[in-house]
Amino acid sequence: MQPIQKNRSSSSAASTGSTKIKVRGYHLDLYGHVNNARYLEFLEEARWAIFDARGDLEAWAVHGLGFYVVNININYRAPACLGQVLEIRTEIDRVKNHSATLKQTVMHSENGEVIADADVTFVVVDINNRRSMPLRGDILDEIKNVFG
Amino acid sequence: MQPIQKNRSSSSAASTGSTKIKVRGYHLDLYGHVNNARYLEFLEEARWAIFDARGDLEAWAVHGLGFYVVNININYRAPACLGQVLEIRTEIDRVKNHSATLKQTVMHSENGEVIADADVTFVVVDINNRRSMPLRGDILDEIKNVFG
Amino acid sequence: MQPIQKNRSSSSAASTGSTKIKVRGYHLDLYGHVNNARYLEFLEEARWAIFDARGDLEAWAVHGLGFYVVNININYRAPACLGQVLEIRTEIDRVKNHSATLKQTVMHSENGEVIADADVTFVVVDINNRRSMPLRGDILDEIKNVFG
Amino acid sequence: MQPIQKNRSSSSAASTGSTKIKVRGYHLDLYGHVNNARYLEFLEEARWAIFDARGDLEAWAVHGLGFYVVNININYRAPACLGQVLEIRTEIDRVKNHSATLKQTVMHSENGEVIADADVTFVVVDINNRRSMPLRGDILDEIKNVFG
């Protein structure tokens, strides 16, 4: 199996695993705070952005592999309000035989206050037979390249 | 070509083209009103519900046909607030050679006040070659069955 | 403090803590499955529906009390696809001094297969000073009335 | 009435009324295309971004003024797919006595293909009495500053 990698540009090598999102009116709910469900879109946006910078989703697709999230455990620690800029940091927390867990933290970009943090656990799936792949060899290397 | 129809039960024959949705906290935005984008989900929900009651999406799929919305023209006339029950009525407004337009009206279910109304124009597309089909014969009959 | 209760009709007394939602095209993501974030809206919809049937949000508001979700721990066990009817069951799992946890389960309504299950932990907050209230007395009674 | 203006930095003066959004998996629907409702969030994001760059929402709020969208007329011209970068351009189209209309165009950022275009009509509302303000004087100047 070929490496699941793209030629990384120097700019993507500089990527820090951090994504910024500004809170807009359509993100809010009746309390004037970002809605619970919307945070999961912010976390997903951050994972895609990292993948853009460091990974190669097409190569994974060519290998017939996909990522399925199997668990999200999210703490809502403080409300986020209109106009605040949120920074989402993503790093790998632990890797087991068949799953890996990312730690994602949503902070106020100015003062670093933690708004929410989440453990997001995913498996790598063979899309044809829907079985989860063992996380070793090239697959593990690439996970570490992208999220590590 | 076979008719694009399912065996209609008496209950679906009784369907009135009306769908009800209760406004929840996660529908609102910073003004405490249902957000502009969310109304388009409400309208889509109402179209799916009518299709469930009167149409047969699988038969359309078997014929390789899909619906693509090409224009939505929506008036926001009054705000909708937490706990209100909205009723969405859908009826066919006009049919042209290659497109048809539905009139969808969102009302307070209790007092009939119009919250929003929209013209939604769609084409029927051959999914394989992405060309829009002329709206006549069985296709036109079925559109009238479902939305008329 | 007066009881946080409404006069319950026999129909709301019969409420079973179960909500049904049909999967629509706008719920899906690139895999053709219901998107991770959308499940949190389904869970919230189910909580609001139970509150409608058994609780009295206005009474809580009159007492200056609100519910804040502080943690969601959700397992995604099987994909949900277009046209499937999902049933969401909600029951109280445990109550601690200052927080309570609901167990919410999303199932195929026809065969009972579990699609997702979540622990949703909330606090009751005094909206004026944003402090969480101890869960005892009338507050505890009402939580048990609604979710128990 | 004081001017509804902020001190504009040279960088915001350089703002071009263009916003970029990359299409993610959670934006798509069952056809693998960006969902109809999601485009309205993209358009709203673009309007907020322009306001950030050129306007002063706080000043409007201090004057007790808000923007209400009263009509959106959107053409869906071509599908947008995973990974494409969309560019949204916003310009003022026409101003009438009590309403103004923006033209917003969603394009592929690489080849300029038009994906969708929309006329978005808004009124400026006195938030206290919910009456729409005549668009002249400082209000008109500021609308032209922001969107012109």
Side-chain angles (χ1 to χ4, degrees):
Chain A
M1 183 168 139
Q2 293 182 311
I4 311 165
Q5 261 182 273
K6 68 172 175 184
N7 296 325
R8 289 184 180 73
S9 68
S10 56
S11 69
S12 66
S15 169
T16 61
S18 164
T19 299
K20 290 189 181 176
I21 293 173
K22 189 157 189 174
V23 177
R24 304 301 192 183
Y26 64 90
H27 294 143
L28 307 179
D29 68 8
L30 83 160
Y31 295 115
H33 303 155
V34 174
N35 179 257
N36 294 334
R38 191 66 75 161
Y39 281 100
L40 266 56
E41 290 191 1
F42 291 178
L43 298 180
E44 188 174 335
E45 178 66 33
R47 296 195 302 272
W48 285 100
I50 288 175
F51 225 97
D52 269 359
R54 303 186 194 166
D56 186 349
L57 200 57
E58 279 184 34
W60 286 84
V62 166
H63 286 83
L65 300 176
F67 290 91
Y68 281 19
V69 170
V70 294
N71 179 271
I72 296 178
N73 188 343
I74 181 166
N75 295 300
Y76 301 101
R77 298 193 184 279
C81 301
L82 186 67
Q84 291 178 335
V85 177
L86 304 181
E87 181 177 347
I88 300 137
R89 292 203 186 150
T90 301
E91 56 187 8
I92 203 155
D93 188 59
R94 56 189 181 275
V95 177
K96 298 204 290 189
N97 285 342
H98 278 79
S99 70
T101 300
L102 304 174
K103 168 69 77 181
Q104 295 195 278
T105 307
V106 181
M107 296 172 297
H108 280 302
S109 71
E110 289 193 6
N111 62 21
E113 186 192 7
V114 174
I115 304 298
D117 59 76
D119 286 348
V120 178
T121 302
F122 65 87
V123 296
V124 175
V125 173
D126 181 326
I127 288 174
N128 294 315
N129 60 18
R130 301 182 55 87
R131 283 167 52 184
S132 70
M133 306 290 290
L135 302 186
R136 58 181 181 236
D138 287 341
I139 291 177
L140 181 57
D141 288 348
E142 185 58 10
I143 288 172
K144 289 182 177 170
N145 278 337
V146 173
F147 295 113
Chain B
M1 183 167 138
Q2 292 183 312
I4 311 164
Q5 261 181 272
K6 68 173 175 185
N7 296 326
R8 288 182 179 75
S9 70
S10 56
S11 70
S12 66
S15 169
T16 61
S18 164
T19 299
K20 290 189 180 177
I21 293 173
K22 189 158 187 173
V23 175
R24 304 300 192 185
Y26 65 90
H27 294 143
L28 306 180
D29 68 7
L30 83 159
Y31 294 116
H33 303 156
V34 174
N35 179 257
N36 294 334
R38 189 66 75 161
Y39 280 101
L40 266 55
E41 290 192 0
F42 291 177
L43 299 181
E44 186 174 337
E45 179 66 34
R47 295 194 303 272
W48 285 99
I50 288 174
F51 225 96
D52 269 359
R54 304 187 192 165
D56 187 348
L57 200 58
E58 281 185 33
W60 286 84
V62 165
H63 286 83
L65 300 176
F67 290 92
Y68 281 19
V69 170
V70 294
N71 178 271
I72 296 178
N73 188 344
I74 182 168
N75 295 300
Y76 301 101
R77 298 195 183 278
C81 300
L82 186 66
Q84 291 177 335
V85 177
L86 304 181
E87 181 177 346
I88 300 136
R89 292 204 186 149
T90 302
E91 55 187 9
I92 203 154
D93 189 59
R94 57 187 180 275
V95 178
K96 300 203 289 189
N97 285 342
H98 278 78
S99 69
T101 299
L102 304 175
K103 168 69 75 180
Q104 295 195 277
T105 307
V106 182
M107 296 173 296
H108 280 302
S109 70
E110 289 193 6
N111 62 21
E113 187 193 8
V114 174
I115 303 299
D117 58 77
D119 286 348
V120 178
T121 301
F122 64 88
V123 295
V124 175
V125 173
D126 180 326
I127 289 174
N128 293 315
N129 61 17
R130 301 181 57 88
R131 284 167 51 185
S132 70
M133 305 290 290
L135 301 188
R136 59 180 179 235
D138 286 341
I139 291 178
L140 179 58
D141 288 347
E142 187 56 11
I143 288 173
K144 289 182 177 172
N145 279 336
V146 173
F147 295 112
Chain C
M1 182 168 138
Q2 293 183 309
I4 312 163
Q5 261 180 271
K6 68 173 173 185
N7 296 326
R8 287 182 180 76
S9 68
S10 56
S11 69
S12 66
S15 169
T16 61
S18 164
T19 299
K20 290 189 180 178
I21 293 173
K22 190 157 188 174
V23 176
R24 304 302 191 184
Y26 65 90
H27 295 141
L28 306 180
D29 68 6
L30 83 159
Y31 295 116
H33 303 156
V34 174
N35 179 257
N36 293 333
R38 189 65 76 159
Y39 280 101
L40 266 55
E41 289 193 359
F42 291 177
L43 298 181
E44 188 174 336
E45 177 67 32
R47 295 194 303 272
W48 285 99
I50 288 175
F51 225 96
D52 270 357
R54 303 187 196 166
D56 187 348
L57 200 57
E58 280 184 33
W60 287 83
V62 165
H63 286 83
L65 300 177
F67 290 91
Y68 281 19
V69 170
V70 294
N71 178 270
I72 296 179
N73 187 344
I74 182 168
N75 296 299
Y76 300 101
R77 298 195 183 279
C81 301
L82 186 67
Q84 290 178 336
V85 177
L86 303 182
E87 181 178 345
I88 299 137
R89 292 202 186 150
T90 302
E91 56 187 8
I92 203 154
D93 188 58
R94 55 188 181 277
V95 177
K96 299 204 290 189
N97 286 342
H98 277 78
S99 69
T101 300
L102 304 175
K103 167 69 76 180
Q104 295 195 278
T105 308
V106 182
M107 295 173 297
H108 281 301
S109 70
E110 289 194 5
N111 62 20
E113 187 192 8
V114 174
I115 303 298
D117 58 77
D119 286 349
V120 178
T121 301
F122 65 88
V123 295
V124 175
V125 174
D126 181 325
I127 289 174
N128 293 316
N129 60 16
R130 301 182 57 87
R131 284 168 51 185
S132 70
M133 306 290 290
L135 302 187
R136 58 182 180 235
D138 286 341
I139 291 177
L140 180 57
D141 289 347
E142 187 57 10
I143 288 173
K144 288 182 177 171
N145 278 338
V146 174
F147 295 113
Chain D
M1 183 168 138
Q2 292 184 312
I4 311 164
Q5 261 182 272
K6 67 173 176 185
N7 296 324
R8 290 185 179 73
S9 68
S10 55
S11 69
S12 66
S15 169
T16 61
S18 163
T19 299
K20 290 189 181 179
I21 292 174
K22 188 158 188 175
V23 177
R24 304 301 192 184
Y26 64 90
H27 294 142
L28 306 180
D29 67 7
L30 82 159
Y31 295 116
H33 304 155
V34 174
N35 180 257
N36 293 335
R38 189 66 76 161
Y39 281 100
L40 266 56
E41 290 192 0
F42 291 177
L43 298 180
E44 187 175 337
E45 178 66 34
R47 295 194 302 271
W48 285 100
I50 288 174
F51 225 96
D52 269 359
R54 303 186 194 166
D56 187 348
L57 200 57
E58 280 183 34
W60 287 83
V62 166
H63 287 82
L65 301 176
F67 290 92
Y68 281 20
V69 170
V70 293
N71 177 271
I72 297 179
N73 187 344
I74 182 168
N75 296 299
Y76 300 101
R77 299 194 182 279
C81 300
L82 186 67
Q84 291 177 336
V85 177
L86 304 181
E87 181 177 345
I88 300 136
R89 293 202 185 149
T90 301
E91 55 187 10
I92 204 155
D93 189 59
R94 57 188 179 275
V95 178
K96 298 203 291 188
N97 284 342
H98 278 78
S99 69
T101 300
L102 304 175
K103 168 69 75 180
Q104 295 196 278
T105 307
V106 182
M107 296 173 296
H108 280 301
S109 70
E110 290 194 4
N111 62 21
E113 186 192 6
V114 174
I115 304 298
D117 58 77
D119 285 349
V120 178
T121 302
F122 65 89
V123 295
V124 175
V125 174
D126 181 325
I127 288 174
N128 293 316
N129 61 17
R130 301 181 58 84
R131 283 168 53 184
S132 70
M133 306 290 290
L135 302 187
R136 59 180 180 235
D138 286 342
I139 291 178
L140 180 58
D141 288 348
E142 186 58 9
I143 288 172
K144 289 182 177 171
N145 279 337
V146 174
F147 295 113

